[in-house]
Amino acid sequence: NQLLELQGIYPELTQLGGEVVVLSVDDAENAVAMKVGLGLEFPVLYDTDTSVTSEWGLYDLLGDGVSAPATFIIRTDGSIESALIGTSIDQRPTPDSILDVLAALAGMDRATMGDTSDGASGSDVVIAAAPAVGGPVPDFNLPTAGGESISLGDYVGKQNVVFVFFQAWW
């Protein structure tokens, strides 16, 4: 499970100046169940009306009525460093590839510890409606499983963000 993998690298990820933000098209109850059930320390957002998932070009992309699995690494300036939009639920960047990108953004050297061939450098699947690598990200404000609201703009100038579109909590 990618969310558990992200939780496993979360301490190192935050040491590299990053944050994880997860979004699914679930409702509040299921977002809370995901966050609590998996013991996630990072924000879990829910996009029940699919407005953000649709704006990013990911809603129903695979014809399944949920978000396509996607991971974007967003620089502190609000632009996209890398993107992977999967064509199956298991097509995700490896934890090591995510850490390698964040280390590079932080100006640190990090030995590659895993296979990054499916990874987070550049866009592996081109989707015309999705934000482009190097371009700005569309901002939004969504509720979290913790009861707050989060905007990607909250992180601009502060942290790089690993922004994960999760299909749904089933």
Side-chain angles (χ1 to χ4, degrees), residues 100-113:
D100 289 343
V101 171
L102 291 174
L105 289 172
M108 300 175 159
D109 287 330
R110 183 176 184 278
T112 301
M113 297 172 57

Side-chain angles (χ1 to χ4, degrees), residues 20-106:
V20 175
V21 176
V22 174
L23 181 145
S24 82
V25 296
D26 289 310
D27 59 20
E29 182 179 334
N30 285 322
V32 170
M34 181 187 331
K35 183 168 177 64
V36 173
L38 297 177
L40 305 177
E41 296 176 60
F42 41 82
V44 175
L45 310 177
Y46 54 97
D47 182 25
T48 306
D49 70 1
T50 71
S51 60
V52 172
T53 309
S54 294
E55 181 179 12
W56 283 63
L58 301 171
Y59 179 70
D60 202 26
L61 187 63
L62 305 179
D64 54 7
V66 294
S67 175
T71 303
F72 296 87
I73 297 180
I74 303 167
R75 298 182 197 109
T76 57
D77 68 3
S79 64
I80 297 174
E81 173 67 21
S82 64
L84 177 68
I85 300 168
T87 56
S88 68
I89 194 168
D90 60 344
Q91 191 175 17
R92 298 281 190 177
T94 65
D96 285 321
S97 68
I98 291 170
L99 292 172
D100 289 343
V101 171
L102 291 174
L105 289 172

Side-chain angles (χ1 to χ4, degrees), residues 4-14 94-96 98-99:
L4 290 175
E5 289 176 346
L6 288 170
Q7 181 58 49
I9 65 168
Y10 191 64
E12 185 174 359
L13 189 145
T14 57
T94 65
D96 285 321
I98 291 170
L99 292 172

